[in-house]
């Protein structure tokens, strides 16, 4: 930093030394030119040159090309600026003297004194606000004092009728100072190192002062060449500041620092050649990503829920506003520089404006897509919990979980296609033939891929019929499982043992939905032939009442457990039929609980379950049983007596 300040001091000292040579006044130059034109020898030489000009061959077409004209104009501009650099101190001194004399002639103080008084008044108003207002470290809390400062100065400035030159000068430098303070407040709210913030403030101060000086050059009578020369001198200082910041605080290898330095030098040369549009494109490529990230973080700090719709609108909207401002500034720079090389070619100009419009279109499409996707994702997250809802609300949320992912995919495709077509139209491409060709190509694809079209159409009708939803258990042909997700042509089923089936819609056929509304679960139990049926019915009714009163199982019942009666007489006993109505998906779990409860209650009340029996002998059932038992005991004794090998 020290070497940079030393270089600036030496540079300004050299300019002041060049200013010591008094320039020749314009009137003296005019008198000398008139005297030379009246000299007979000069007149004769001019006449001879006129005669020779008729025999000079015409200029070659290459010298008349747009590139040649631009090169000649750029060369002349650079030469004129270099020739005007020694006159900078004299022109600046004359302009300052002119403004001071005008102010003194109307009874006003010098311009710099008035500027200091206005700044002091603005700072005093800001100090009063800070004394009575609570200090806030938010972005608005930092911007409000700057607004008070600018408002106080603006009131005084517009309330007084200043001299014309003083008014223009004060307006330019006050606006530059307010802009400096505004950006300084924004940088103070951004998360960055103090060394980087300090260098950015210095660079911003130099740029603000340079812009204000260039703005007041013409009203104060400074020649355009000298104004351009002043701008070039300030640009050299800005370039040196940027290079010093790269090598001092940027963390990176020496090769990357050298590459950034070379890029900055190239940008400076592009600006010197009056290629302002290309210069700002390079500036955007260098700083716009970091600016967008910083603006996004500051915007998110203004909302409590960054993932909400308001947070998305604030963050994405702030980034979109920055991009729109950058595009607008680039278009303004391009419009105000009609002598650039690109402006001479209508095709390049059309592509440039088409590119700017395309950027805005893509920004708007991205904002709309982000808002729509955020709403869909939030709705899907809300729709996951349905246990505490009424059946109608639970069904509606299940339908949301089914249709919204398909809507999200279709919306993404629609936004991408529409944005692409609009961008092509802005770039000069005729999209009418493209749309017609796409239609013909779509018909050909439809004939060539009938299965795919059949899958998509069947999927649409399944959705319209509300045949199944995400989370429901279905069975279609040999496929069964829980519906996990959809695509445009297939459904994803998770089997209860783990495997996943991806089934095209055209392969589903008739769908058996096992998770819709309610389920009647029936099962059978075989008891002995001597069972009291009425007693079993009453005990079953008590078991059903106990299951309904259970805090874990009761909420899943629609109708309690009941015994339907005798289903049939089996080989070993009476088959009793039972039934209950539950919510879908819980019938198996409740049936297991019912089995255990019925067994416990039946055994406690003397109801035996039927078992297969073997009858040995004739009618003597008791003797046959005794013989069988004796045979079993004998076999066990024989096994116990056999020694182990």
């Amino acid at each position: 930093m020290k070497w940079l300040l030393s270089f600036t001091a030496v540079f300004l000292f050299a300019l002041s030394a060049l200013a010591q040579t008094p320039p020749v006044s314009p009137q003296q130059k005019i008198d000398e030119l008139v005297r030379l034109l009246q000299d007979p020898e000069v007149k004769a030489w001019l006449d001879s040159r006129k005669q020779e000009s008729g025999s000079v061959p015409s200029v070659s077409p290459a010298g008349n090309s747009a590139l040649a004209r631009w090169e000649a104009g750029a060369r002349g501009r650079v030469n004129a600026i270099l020739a005007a650099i020694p006159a900078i101190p004299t022109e600046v001194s004359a302009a300052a003297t002119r403004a001071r004399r005008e102010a003194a002639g109307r009874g006003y103080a010098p311009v710099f004194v008035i500027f200091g008084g206005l700044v002091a008044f603005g700072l005093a108003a800001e100090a009063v606000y800070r004394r009575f207002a609570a200090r806030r470290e938010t972005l608005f809390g930092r911007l409000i004092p700057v607004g008070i400062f600018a408002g106080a100065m603006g009131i005084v400035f517009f309330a007084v009728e200043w001299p014309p030159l003083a008014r223009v000068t004060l307006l330019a430098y006050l606006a530059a100072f307010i802009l400096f303070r505004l950006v300084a407040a924004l940088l103070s709210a951004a998360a960055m190192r103090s060394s980087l913030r300090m260098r950015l403030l210095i660079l911003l101060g130099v740029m603000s002062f340079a812009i204000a000086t260039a703005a007041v050059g013409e009203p104060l009578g400074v020649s355009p060449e000298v104004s351009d020369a002043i701008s070039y001198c300030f640009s050299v200082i800005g370039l040196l500041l940027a290079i010093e910041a790269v090598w001092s605080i940027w963390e990176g290898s020496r090769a990357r620092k050298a590459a950034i330095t070379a890029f900055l030098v190239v940008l400076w040369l592009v600006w010197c050649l009056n290629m302002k549009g290309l210069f700002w494109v390079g500036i955007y490529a260098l700083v716009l990503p970091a600016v967008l990230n910083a603006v996004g973080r500051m915007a998110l700090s203004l909302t409590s829920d960054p993932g909400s719709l308001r947070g998305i609108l604030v963050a994405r909207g702030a980034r979109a506003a920055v991009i729109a401002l950058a595009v607008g500034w680039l278009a303004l720079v391009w419009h105000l520089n009609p002598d650039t090389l690109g402006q001479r070619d209508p095709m390049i100009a059309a592509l440039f404006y088409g590119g700017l419009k395309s950027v805005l279109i893509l920004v708007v499409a991205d904002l709309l897509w982000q808002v729509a996707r955020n709403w869909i994702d939030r709705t899907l997250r809300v729709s996951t919990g349905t246990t505490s809802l009424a059946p109608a609300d639970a069904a509606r949320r299940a339908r949301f979980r089914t249709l919204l992912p398909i809507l999200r995919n279709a919306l993404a495709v629609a936004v991408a296609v529409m944005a692409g077509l609009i961008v092509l139209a802005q770039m000069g491409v005729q999209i009418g033939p493209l749309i017609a060709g796409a239609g013909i190509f779509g018909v050909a694809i439809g004939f060539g891929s009938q299965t795919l079209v059949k899958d998509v159409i069947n999927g649409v009708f399944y959705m319209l019929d509300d045949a199944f939803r995400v989370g429901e258990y279905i069975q279609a042909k040999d496929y069964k499982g829980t519906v996990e997700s959809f695509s445009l042509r297939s459904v994803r089923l998770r089997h209860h043992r783990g495997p996943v089936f991806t089934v095209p819609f055209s392969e589903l056929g008739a769908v058996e939905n096992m998770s819709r509304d309610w389920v009647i679960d029936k099962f059978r139990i075989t008891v002995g032939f001597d069972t009291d049926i009425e007693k079993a019915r009453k005990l079953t009714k008590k078991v059903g009442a106990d299951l309904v009163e259970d805090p874990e199982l009761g909420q899943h019942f629609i109708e309690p457990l009941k015994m339907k009666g005798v289903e049939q007489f089996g080989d070993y006993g009476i088959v009793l039929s039972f039934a209950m109505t539950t919510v879908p998906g819980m019938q198996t779990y409740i049936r297991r609980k019912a089995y255990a409860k019925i067994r416990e209650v039946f055994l406690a009340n003397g109801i035996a379950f039927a078992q297969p029996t073997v009858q040995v002998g004739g009618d003597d059932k008791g003797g046959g049983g005794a013989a069988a038992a004796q045979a079993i005991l004998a076999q066990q004794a024989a096994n116990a007596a056999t020694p182990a090998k």
Side-chain angles (χ1 to χ4, degrees):
M1 198 68 182
K2 293 181 179 179
W3 66 269
L4 181 60
L5 296 176
S6 303
F7 174 81
T8 306
V10 172
F11 178 73
L12 296 176
F13 178 76
L15 292 180
S16 63
L18 290 173
Q20 300 302 321
T21 303
V24 181
S25 64
Q27 186 62 39
Q28 293 177 354
K29 293 181 179 179
I30 294 173
D31 295 340
E32 181 67 20
L33 178 61
V34 172
R35 187 185 64 79
L36 289 175
L37 290 176
Q38 293 175 354
D39 188 272
E41 295 181 357
V42 174
K43 289 183 178 181
W45 182 81
L46 289 176
D47 293 338
S48 64
R49 295 295 297 175
K50 290 180 180 179
Q51 295 175 0
E52 293 176 359
S53 63
S55 61
V56 175
S58 60
V59 182
S60 63
N64 247 351
S65 63
L67 181 61
R69 291 196 302 269
W70 173 82
E71 189 272 337
R75 183 185 296 274
R77 176 183 172 83
V78 172
N79 292 334
I81 291 173
L82 293 177
I85 288 179
I88 291 177
T90 304
E91 292 274 358
V92 172
S93 177
T97 302
R98 195 177 297 113
R100 184 173 62 253
R101 287 177 180 175
E102 183 192 48
R106 300 195 179 189
Y108 288 93
V111 176
F112 70 90
V113 176
I114 300 175
F115 178 81
L118 290 175
V119 172
F121 182 78
L123 292 176
E126 181 181 348
V128 172
Y129 168 78
R130 291 182 181 275
R131 181 174 182 180
F132 293 100
R135 183 178 179 86
R136 294 182 295 177
E137 296 298 331
T138 61
L139 179 60
F140 285 122
R142 299 174 187 272
L143 293 179
I144 289 177
V146 180
I148 298 295
F149 170 80
M153 287 196 309
I155 291 173
V156 177
F157 176 80
F158 289 104
V160 178
E161 188 65 28
W162 308 103
L165 295 181
R167 181 169 63 249
V168 174
T169 305
L170 289 173
L171 181 61
Y173 285 101
L174 287 176
F177 191 69
I178 293 173
L179 177 64
F180 173 78
R181 291 209 56 195
L182 180 64
V183 179
L186 294 176
L187 290 178
S188 64
M192 63 176 62
R193 291 177 297 175
S194 58
S195 57
L196 176 60
R197 184 181 294 109
M198 181 60 65
R199 283 169 170 80
L200 289 177
L201 289 176
I202 294 174
L203 181 60
L204 176 64
V206 172
M207 292 176 58
S208 302
F209 186 77
I211 294 173
T213 304
V216 301
E218 182 179 357
L220 293 179
V222 180
S223 63
E225 293 79 8
V226 174
S227 295
D228 292 341
I230 294 174
S231 300
Y232 272 72
C233 294
F234 278 113
S235 70
V236 172
I237 297 175
L239 175 64
L240 295 176
L241 287 171
I243 293 175
E244 190 274 338
V246 169
W247 287 91
S248 297
I249 62 175
W250 192 59
E251 297 179 356
S253 62
R254 296 179 64 86
R256 298 188 65 182
K257 290 181 179 180
I260 295 296
T261 302
F263 184 75
L264 292 174
V265 173
V266 170
L267 279 182
W268 180 77
L269 293 176
V270 168
W271 183 83
C272 292
L273 294 176
N274 202 30
M275 302 172 67
K276 303 296 178 60
L278 186 60
F279 168 77
W280 282 105
V281 169
I283 292 294
Y284 292 161
L286 193 63
V287 303
L288 193 58
V291 172
L292 291 178
N293 291 332
V295 170
R297 288 195 299 269
M298 287 190 293
L300 288 177
S301 64
L302 302 177
T303 178
S304 58
D305 187 7
S308 63
L309 183 61
R310 180 173 180 270
I312 295 295
L313 284 175
V314 169
R316 294 284 177 173
R319 294 192 181 104
V322 171
I323 295 176
L325 290 175
V327 170
W329 176 254
L330 194 60
L332 181 63
V333 169
W334 180 273
H335 179 72
L336 295 178
N337 291 271
D339 296 331
T340 57
L341 182 61
Q343 290 276 38
R344 302 175 186 271
D345 193 336
M347 181 177 295
I348 296 178
L351 289 177
F352 177 79
Y353 285 111
L356 294 183
K357 295 176 183 178
S358 300
V359 171
L360 295 179
I361 291 168
L362 293 177
V363 169
V364 173
D366 176 72
L367 180 61
L368 294 177
W369 162 243
Q370 293 295 335
V371 170
R373 188 182 69 172
N374 176 265
W375 177 80
I376 292 174
D377 292 343
R378 289 177 65 86
T379 305
L380 286 175
R381 287 196 297 269
V382 172
S383 300
T384 54
T386 59
T387 55
S388 59
L389 297 177
D393 295 335
R396 184 171 61 254
R397 290 196 176 184
R399 189 164 176 79
F400 279 162
R401 292 199 308 272
T402 302
L403 297 178
L404 287 180
I406 301 177
L407 175 62
R408 179 175 56 194
N409 297 335
L411 186 62
V413 174
V415 170
V417 171
M418 294 298 296
L421 290 176
I422 297 176
V423 167
L424 290 177
Q426 294 299 326
M427 297 301 291
V429 179
Q430 297 295 329
I431 62 174
L434 288 179
I435 296 175
I440 297 174
F441 183 74
V443 172
I445 291 295
F447 281 112
S449 56
Q450 297 183 18
T451 303
L452 177 61
V453 176
K454 185 178 179 181
D455 291 336
V456 174
I457 294 177
N458 285 339
V460 171
F461 283 106
Y462 277 124
M463 296 301 102
L464 292 177
D465 293 338
D466 194 20
F468 44 83
R469 305 164 186 163
V470 173
E472 293 183 339
Y473 193 91
I474 66 172
Q475 181 172 355
K477 295 183 179 179
D478 296 332
Y479 308 104
K480 61 181 177 180
T482 302
V483 179
E484 286 193 342
S485 61
F486 293 92
S487 67
L488 291 177
R489 60 169 296 273
S490 63
V491 60
R492 183 185 178 95
L493 301 179
R494 172 76 65 174
H495 194 269
H496 57 271
R497 292 194 180 95
V500 176
F501 300 104
T502 301
V503 187
F505 286 119
S506 60
E507 297 292 331
L508 285 178
V511 176
E512 180 183 356
N513 195 326
M514 304 180 183
S515 302
R516 189 64 59 87
D517 300 331
W518 44 266
V519 174
I520 296 178
D521 188 68
K522 296 182 178 181
F523 58 92
R524 300 174 180 179
I525 296 177
T526 305
V527 295
F529 286 108
D530 56 349
T531 301
D532 187 349
I533 303 300
E534 183 62 23
K535 182 179 180 182
R537 187 188 63 79
K538 293 180 179 179
L539 292 176
T540 302
K541 184 177 181 180
K542 183 177 181 301
V543 169
D546 293 341
L547 292 176
V548 171
E549 293 175 358
D550 187 276
E552 180 183 358
L553 305 177
Q555 57 183 343
H556 302 300
F557 273 100
I558 296 177
E559 291 186 6
L561 174 66
K562 296 180 180 179
M563 192 183 80
K564 296 298 184 180
V566 177
E567 187 70 22
Q568 66 181 5
F569 289 96
D571 296 333
Y572 310 108
I574 303 174
V575 179
L576 302 180
S577 177
F578 300 82
M580 58 183 175
T581 305
T582 66
V583 297
M586 296 301 297
Q587 65 273 16
T588 304
Y589 177 70
I590 296 177
R591 188 197 315 138
R592 296 191 185 101
K593 296 290 185 179
Y595 279 152
K597 195 74 174 176
I598 290 174
R599 176 186 179 278
E600 178 183 350
V601 172
F602 278 17
L603 292 179
N605 289 272
I607 297 178
F609 295 95
Q611 299 179 4
T613 58
V614 178
Q615 181 175 348
V616 179
D619 295 335
D620 189 5
K621 298 179 180 179
Q630 186 176 0
I632 292 172
L633 292 176
Q635 182 66 32
Q636 291 177 353
N639 292 336
T642 302
K645 297 182 180 179

